[in-house]
Amino acid sequence: MNNSQDHPAHQRAQELAHLKEDFPAFRIWQETTGERIRLVAVRRHHGISPHTVVTADAAELRAALSSTRSATAGP
């Protein structure tokens, strides 16, 4: 039986892929320093806010970037 679907690294990789897909206005990647894992998002274009978000929590990153989407959405 293959449990790779349940592995935390696999889940993080899937979440990272979803974040990249959902927020194309940002360059998003994962940084690992020692045992710490952080997600980093940096805007791709001038005028998008926030410029940068750094967090260990994918839900927090999604919330920060979601507020950008609604703030920049046109009529």
Side-chain angles (χ1 to χ4, degrees):
M1 184 171 179
N2 184 353
N3 289 331
S4 66
Q5 298 294 328
D6 298 325
H7 192 272
H10 179 76
Q11 292 172 350
R12 281 193 308 270
Q14 282 188 316
E15 181 62 29
L16 183 60
H18 289 149
L19 286 165
K20 289 178 178 182
E21 187 176 300
D22 293 345
F23 301 100
F26 292 87
R27 196 165 56 103
I28 303 171
W29 68 92
Q30 176 179 294
E31 290 183 348
T32 304
T33 306
E35 293 185 20
R36 292 183 59 187
I37 297 173
R38 296 183 295 184
L39 296 168
V40 181
V42 177
R43 70 182 183 193
R44 292 183 183 270
H45 307 286
H46 179 71
I48 296 175
S49 183
H51 179 284
T52 305
V53 178
V54 180
T55 180
D57 183 358
E60 182 179 16
L61 181 63
R62 182 174 292 284
L65 299 182
S66 290
S67 67
T68 298
R69 177 184 289 167
S70 62
T72 59

